[in-house]
Amino acid sequence: MRFARLVVHRMTREPLALLVEENADRCVVVSVRGPQAEVIDRGPRAAEPDDDDRLTQDLIGELAVRLGRRLARGEIVDLVDDRFRAELVLDDGTRLPGRPSDVLAVTVREALPLEVADSVVDAVGQSYSELGGDRQEPAREAAEQVEEMRAFLEQATPQDFARPPDAGEGRTPGAEPG
């Protein structure tokens, strides 16, 4: 699977991560904590981050390297009582259990592969396209509409607002339209 995007639940305002199967339409929606959502939103870390760009999650990968290991992948391994169970996996197979939002944050920051157990996808997988995953994010769409309006207004003249197209043509003054 791959991390596709963060969304905000319309009712609860809770951040959610959409994880999508490669070459398929199924996805898994995972609730993430606010701080981890901010980390995920920043995306993969720079190859040579300066001190201002380093996040707490970046220390996990750096610690693994200093101990002679490297992070191999993140996994969502199970669903127990409607709660995901997740693990970071080191290159030697060592597994480090963690909250799903923490595992996702480290996985995204380190640009690691992400796996979700088939049993989890079978239990809670949804259609990505039915969730609107293939559509633009509403905030991005709204921002594009604002930019289009700004571009129009920059070139508009007062005469563009003098009379709407077809206003008054073919109508009797005071008569109700059609």
Side-chain angles (χ1 to χ4, degrees):
M1 291 202 119
R2 67 177 172 81
F3 166 73
R5 76 164 89 170
L6 284 172
V7 296
V8 176
H9 189 277
R10 191 174 299 173
M11 301 291 283
T12 66
R13 308 305 300 159
E14 176 182 31
L16 304 169
L18 271 68
L19 312 177
V20 181
E21 275 186 311
E22 295 291 338
N23 304 315
D25 185 47
R26 288 194 312 175
C27 73
V28 173
V29 179
V30 179
S31 173
V32 294
R33 296 166 185 249
Q36 288 81 357
E38 289 179 26
V39 171
I40 292 167
D41 190 49
R42 289 182 72 169
R45 69 183 173 111
E48 298 292 326
D50 61 29
D51 286 342
D52 291 336
D53 291 331
R54 293 178 75 214
L55 302 176
T56 304
Q57 286 77 4
D58 299 341
L59 297 175
I60 302 290
E62 293 174 16
L63 179 61
V65 168
R66 295 215 179 177
L67 295 173
R69 302 269 50 104
R70 68 175 181 76
L71 296 173
R73 68 186 172 276
E75 292 184 8
I76 294 180
V77 296
D78 204 357
L79 182 66
V80 178
D81 297 326
D82 293 327
R83 295 183 68 131
F84 292 109
R85 301 288 187 241
E87 299 175 348
L88 283 172
V89 182
L90 300 176
D91 60 345
D92 68 350
T94 301
R95 294 175 169 274
L96 176 63
R99 293 183 299 212
S101 55
D102 288 325
V103 170
L104 286 173
V106 172
T107 299
V108 169
R109 285 296 286 174
E110 296 293 323
L112 300 173
L114 176 63
E115 295 180 8
V116 178
D118 289 339
S119 60
V120 172
V121 177
D122 291 342
V124 297
Q126 302 176 56
S127 168
Y128 184 58
S129 58
E130 285 180 20
L131 284 177
D134 54 351
R135 292 192 308 255
Q136 290 185 338
E137 297 174 50
R140 182 177 297 149
E141 195 171 312
E144 288 174 0
Q145 290 174 349
V146 168
E147 285 303 313
E148 287 176 19
M149 179 60 80
R150 281 189 181 133
F152 167 75
L153 291 173
E154 285 176 4
Q155 297 178 10
T157 65
Q159 291 77 20
D160 292 329
F161 300 99
R163 187 176 69 164
D166 299 329
E169 295 178 12
R171 290 191 335 198
T172 306
E176 291 290 327

